[in-house]
Amino acid sequence: MIYSGNAISVQTLSDGIAEFKFDLQGESVNKLNRATVQELKEATAAVKADASVKGLIVTSGKSTFIVGADITEFGDNFAQGEAGIEEWLGVLNSVFNGFEDLDIPKVAAINGIAFGGGFEVCLGCEYRVASTAAKVGLPEVKLGLFPGFGGTVRLPRVIGIDNALEWIATGAEKRPDVALKDGAIDAVVVPEKLNEAAIDLVKQALAGKLNWKARRQEKLVPVKLSPIEQMMAFSSAKGLILAKAGTNYPAPKLAIENLEQNVNLNRDEAVKIESKGFAKAAVTPQATALIGVFSADQVVKKMAKKWEKLSHPIKQAAVLGAGIMGGGIAYQAASKGTPIVMKDIRDEALALGMGEATKLLANQVEKGRLTPVKMGETLSRIRPTLNYGDFKEVDIVIEAVVELEKVKAAVLSEVETLVHDNTILASNTSTISITSLAKNLKRPENFVGMHFFNPVHMMPLVEVIRGEKSSDQAIATTVALAQKMGKVPVVVNDCPGFLVNRVLFPYFGAFDLLVKDGADFQQIDKVMEKFGWPMGPAYLIDVVGIDTGVHGADVMAAGFPDRMKPDYKGSIQVMYENKRLGQKNDKGFYVYVADKKGKKAKKVDPTTYELLAPVVTGEKREFDAQEIIDRMMVALCNEIVRCLEDKIVETPAEADMALIMGIGFPPFRGGAARYIDQTGVAAYVALCDKYAHLGKAYEAPQLLRDMAAANKSFYG
Ligand SMILES: NC(=O)c1ccc[n+]([C@@H]2O[C@H](COP(=O)([O-])OP(=O)(O)OC[C@H]3O[C@@H](n4cnc5c(N)ncnc54)[C@H](O)[C@@H]3O)[C@@H](O)[C@H]2O)c1
């Protein structure tokens, strides 16, 4: 044994070849945490000091290679500010450079995921062999960063500027065949042959059949490309990649600029430039928010895992209703391997539900993502039926019938008599209280809400709603099913609108008030889309359905009259009264007209303005964009704070993830709690005070005043 640590061991194999193995003890994956980097330094020194080592294969003892840097350590490192980050990277890169400088051939044997820092370790080697199961890439831009452990320096020198720009600025994960084509790896082999192939490469290098020294030298000097070729590479990357990334995500731009500065330098100088640029990216609010989203996602996953331990196994599920939601739920469950009975009272509905599932699956077969055999297997997991037949075998029933309390109450109490005592009943209601629906049941402890979003196969969030009497086991089993269906479950307590809709309606309320005060709904949409929302509020309500919106607004007004019951007629109501239901009948705030390919395109309709004229009481004018943003965001964020105050949701992390996953809250802003933090709690409270005259929805919740007084924030 040449070196033995907690994360790395180096052991001689034969013929002077040693195995440099990453295997972080006590963890399921390898990551480059502080301790591992320290061991990388020590293990490198041990290899250097041992003259018997002639070559290395670099391997992993896990099913992944190295997943990347330890993101949980970023907070501390980044809190040091730009200079501190540069210093940290300086130390770290001297370790990476030291490894690269080992004067022996090194071959990375990439068995699984090698992302970010993990792939940067591979780039420190002269050669890279990947198993067919591997995935590589430098995905740092997804966290608002770019590679900081020499990746922006080594990759362009290995695969050329064009390819490197695409890899780094898009952060794409690459399959081994693609990485091979781009030159980022040298061979792809079946998993069983990986180490053998890596050893063989070291032997060829040692036998002089491969010029491994030239391979290394390439990484130490400027990129070989003429100034004109460079200019073309960079200008086309800027055009293509930056147009796609948009202005809200600065990391790809910073990455491209960084490469532009470092490609003509020697490695050591280039790495310094990289560190400087990385530090700049690391302190942007976008990086803070995106890293925050990563951590929040971990929190949500951990919570779900905790629940899972309490859950009953689900061998068979059922869904009542084969409509838009029921059909989607059946498709999603079946796709992820859960057999599901789909019951409706109408044959046509069942045919439509099965038709939709078939269409979605056929689409995947067409794209090569699914084999026809697998499609058949998936479809056979959905059993459409008009009667309750074998409901005794069902472990969970998801009710997705029409949104009428009477109908739901009747359907739920009927099905309760047909299932076994432990079967969980879950309602996909959007607006009816879970506690109130439970009143009709004999076993209310087995009943919860399971709120999917439309379209089910696309929207990742599932709110699992705890009614007054729901048992932990019912919650746990529903959480487990949501996870099995590939969704992100967030457990919330019962209240009108649950979490997501409760927050969304004050936002629509703020929209209505802006229109009443004279703002153009198109300007509001444009401003909010530029702010980062996938759709502005007028477009969003068209997509949701104006009738659904009006119904929801009525429920919310009854639940929270102090801040959600307007004393004026709003623009959404006007659309409703004029039978403009949004996309579903091609007319809402906008009109939807089929283009040549039959795809519906959004168009402006002058009639909308005529219809709205009577409810606009303010002077029609162009609003200051910031005023629009502030009024819209304050209404939304305040309600999230009230949900935290009322313990509807347990943590800011879950609240933020729910908004990102459920309604497309801009991820680079990290969610509502993060938005308040980044505005500054005191500054945010001042903003609430500025708009408090508009109504209760804009008044700062007490929790925020207390936080401001104590100089506290949600994420610390
Ligand atoms: N559409 C959305 O965007 C959305 C989003 C989240 C939640 N939801 C909720 O999901 C539920 C279903 O909504 P949808 O949009 O799918 O409605 P839908 O009208 O498309 O489908 C309802 C289906 O239920 C069937 N049905 C009625 N009574 C039944 C019974 N007794 N037994 C079995 N089936 C019966 C109907 O035949 C119909 O096929 C509602 O509670 C709704 O609030 C809808």
Side-chain angles (χ1 to χ4, degrees):
M1 188 69 84
I2 296 165
Y3 179 82
S4 172
N6 201 40
I8 299 176
S9 63
V10 187
Q11 196 165 10
T12 314
L13 299 174
S14 60
D15 305 323
I17 300 173
E19 180 175 8
F20 197 104
K21 184 165 161 185
F22 287 84
D23 195 357
L24 184 57
Q25 297 307 298
E27 297 272 354
S28 56
V29 294
N30 288 320
K31 51 190 172 184
L32 291 172
N33 57 7
R34 263 181 226 117
T36 302
V37 173
Q38 177 59 27
E39 288 193 17
L40 179 57
K41 184 179 173 183
E42 291 165 11
T44 300
V47 170
K48 196 173 172 182
D50 191 330
S52 72
V53 183
K54 305 286 181 232
L56 284 185
I57 63 165
V58 182
T59 65
S60 155
K62 313 274 190 213
S63 59
T64 51
F65 184 76
I66 302 173
V67 292
D70 185 350
I71 295 166
T72 60
E73 289 179 356
F74 281 1
D76 287 348
N77 289 328
F78 293 3
Q80 318 283 320
E82 280 186 55
I85 297 169
E86 266 188 73
E87 203 182 304
W88 160 62
L89 287 175
V91 175
L92 206 139
N93 277 308
S94 70
V95 175
F96 271 70
N97 291 352
F99 174 75
E100 180 171 56
D101 290 340
L102 279 175
D103 202 14
I104 49 174
K106 304 176 281 301
V107 179
I110 311 169
N111 60 321
I113 284 174
F115 288 155
F119 191 59
E120 286 169 301
V121 168
C122 303
L123 287 169
C125 298
E126 284 74 34
Y127 297 96
R128 286 156 293 281
V129 191
S131 121
T132 45
K135 249 194 204 153
V136 300
L138 296 173
E140 287 84 347
V141 288
K142 293 184 180 157
L143 293 177
L145 305 168
F146 57 79
F149 304 169
T152 73
V153 178
R154 294 186 180 97
L155 192 63
R157 286 158 178 80
V158 171
I159 66 173
I161 294 179
D162 280 334
N163 281 337
L165 283 170
E166 191 268 326
W167 278 55
I168 292 168
T170 66
E173 296 170 5
K174 302 286 182 182
R175 288 199 319 256
D177 53 329
V178 178
L180 180 71
K181 195 174 105 278
D182 285 354
I185 55 178
D186 301 286
V188 183
V189 295
V190 291
E192 308 81 72
K193 298 268 180 205
L194 182 63
N195 283 10
E196 199 182 306
I199 290 171
D200 187 53
L201 265 183
V202 178
K203 283 186 178 163
Q204 288 190 48
L206 289 174
K209 289 186 196 151
L210 295 170
N211 190 353
W212 63 275
K213 289 210 173 204
R215 267 289 180 111
R216 181 148 46 108
Q217 187 57 24
E218 267 171 13
K219 294 187 284 164
L220 305 179
V221 295
V223 174
K224 288 183 193 64
L225 210 59
S226 74
I228 290 184
E229 286 169 316
Q230 284 189 26
M231 197 190 73
M232 284 172 62
F234 283 110
S235 67
S236 83
K238 278 182 193 159
L240 281 173
I241 296 167
L242 296 186
K244 224 169 160 193
T247 47
N248 286 322
Y249 290 84
K253 181 164 179 275
L254 287 172
I256 295 172
E257 285 168 3
N258 179 75
L259 259 85
E260 209 165 7
Q261 289 173 48
N262 87 36
V263 289
N264 294 313
L265 302 172
N266 286 328
R267 180 194 70 187
D268 292 1
E269 288 309 308
V271 167
K272 278 187 202 144
I273 298 284
E274 179 190 84
S275 299
K276 226 183 197 16
F278 181 97
K280 261 205 186 92
V283 298
T284 56
Q286 286 91 340
T288 311
L290 289 167
I291 293 164
V293 172
F294 175 88
S295 311
D297 184 48
Q298 301 282 311
V299 170
V300 168
K301 283 192 180 130
K302 240 183 229 156
M303 299 267 198
K305 228 186 203 151
K306 249 207 247 155
W307 280 114
E308 240 180 52
K309 289 191 188 126
L310 265 182
S311 68
H312 288 305
I314 295 171
K315 291 199 205 79
Q316 176 70 54
V319 60
L320 301 179
I324 302 173
M325 298 306 286
I329 291 165
Y331 161 83
Q332 188 66 26
S335 297
K336 298 288 176 185
T338 302
I340 188 159
V341 180
M342 178 169 72
K343 180 184 178 300
D344 206 289
I345 47 173
R346 294 179 303 124
D347 220 358
E348 322 82 82
L350 290 176
L352 213 68
M354 288 308 285
E356 273 302 309
T358 310
K359 210 162 78 189
L360 288 170
L361 289 164
N363 209 340
Q364 288 188 49
V365 171
E366 218 163 89
K367 286 186 180 140
R369 292 197 198 127
L370 197 74
T371 63
V373 174
K374 284 254 179 290
M375 169 170 167
E377 281 171 17
T378 304
L379 279 175
S380 70
R381 276 186 216 114
I382 309 177
R383 197 165 67 71
T385 176
L386 290 172
N387 55 60
Y388 283 111
D390 42 15
F391 265 56
K392 269 267 174 288
E393 310 300 317
V394 168
D395 304 301
I396 185 165
V397 180
I398 305 164
E399 171 279 308
V401 304
V402 282
E403 187 72 355
L404 292 167
E405 184 154 3
K406 262 197 183 144
V407 177
K408 284 195 191 288
V411 168
L412 284 165
S413 27
E414 182 181 28
V415 78
E416 192 185 32
T417 61
L418 303 167
V419 294
H420 62 74
D421 285 358
N422 294 328
T423 302
I424 307 301
L425 300 184
S427 174
N428 182 45
T429 177
S430 328
T431 54
I432 306 166
S433 157
I434 296 303
T435 301
S436 142
L437 278 175
K439 291 199 173 117
N440 309 293
L441 297 173
K442 284 196 225 89
R443 296 186 294 273
E445 66 279 9
N446 285 355
F447 179 62
V448 298
M450 189 180 194
H451 187 215
F452 289 85
F453 291 75
N454 184 19
V456 176
H457 68 284
M458 302 261 290
M459 300 300 287
L461 182 69
V462 172
E463 286 178 295
V464 175
I465 301 125
R466 184 205 291 270
E468 247 166 54
K469 298 206 167 141
S470 311
S471 70
D472 279 356
Q473 218 148 47
I475 298 282
T477 306
T478 312
V479 164
L481 176 64
Q483 279 209 300
K484 203 168 164 215
M485 287 172 75
K487 298 292 164 192
V488 180
V490 171
V491 178
V492 301
N493 281 320
D494 193 17
C495 71
F498 315 129
L499 177 71
V500 169
N501 282 336
R502 174 164 161 184
V503 168
L504 196 54
F505 278 93
Y507 177 80
F508 284 136
F511 165 78
D512 260 347
L513 191 57
L514 274 164
V515 173
K516 175 179 182 288
D517 288 349
D520 178 352
F521 73 88
Q522 281 195 76
Q523 191 203 354
I524 303 173
D525 270 7
K526 279 188 194 132
V527 167
M528 296 317 285
E529 282 163 17
K530 197 162 170 221
F531 176 85
W533 288 92
M535 302 171 197
Y539 187 22
L540 178 62
I541 195 81
D542 270 3
V543 172
V544 168
I546 301 270
D547 50 345
T548 308
V550 167
H551 173 66
D554 289 345
V555 172
M556 301 312 291
F560 306 104
D562 62 337
R563 56 191 189 275
M564 298 194 207
K565 189 172 183 197
D567 55 3
Y568 60 91
K569 188 193 280 187
S571 62
I572 300 171
Q573 180 69 25
V574 172
M575 294 298 114
Y576 181 64
E577 286 172 7
N578 285 281
K579 300 196 173 54
R580 297 176 74 108
L581 305 185
Q583 274 190 339
K584 66 177 76 164
N585 72 350
D586 296 334
K587 257 189 198 159
F589 282 91
Y590 300 92
V591 287
Y592 299 86
V593 188
D595 63 15
K596 276 184 205 144
K597 287 184 192 149
K599 212 176 150 206
K600 294 270 170 74
K602 176 177 79 143
K603 293 262 175 343
V604 180
D605 179 12
T607 316
T608 307
Y609 289 98
E610 287 163 27
L611 295 173
L612 291 180
V615 296
V616 177
T617 55
E619 177 204 342
K620 276 217 76 149
R621 63 190 164 93
E622 170 105 0
F623 272 59
D624 174 48
Q626 195 57 46
E627 180 177 347
I628 291 177
I629 292 169
D630 289 344
R631 287 173 61 164
M632 296 293 294
M633 293 308 291
V634 161
L636 181 148
C637 295
N638 277 355
E639 201 56 36
I640 265 290
V641 178
R642 293 191 183 99
C643 286
L644 284 163
E645 277 179 332
D646 296 351
K647 309 243 178 310
I648 296 304
V649 65
E650 211 178 312
T651 60
E654 289 165 284
D656 281 350
M657 281 309 284
L659 294 184
I660 292 169
M661 299 288 173
I663 50 172
F665 193 106
F668 70 93
R669 297 194 186 273
R674 175 75 64 185
Y675 184 72
I676 295 172
D677 270 8
Q678 293 202 329
T679 305
V681 179
Y684 179 88
V685 168
L687 211 52
C688 296
D689 291 345
K690 179 174 169 189
Y691 290 111
H693 66 279
L694 296 177
K696 180 98 179 146
Y698 303 82
E699 284 174 19
Q702 192 54 43
L703 176 65
L704 283 184
R705 292 202 187 278
D706 296 345
M707 283 169 63
N711 203 14
K712 282 201 172 133
S713 60
F714 287 110
Y715 288 99

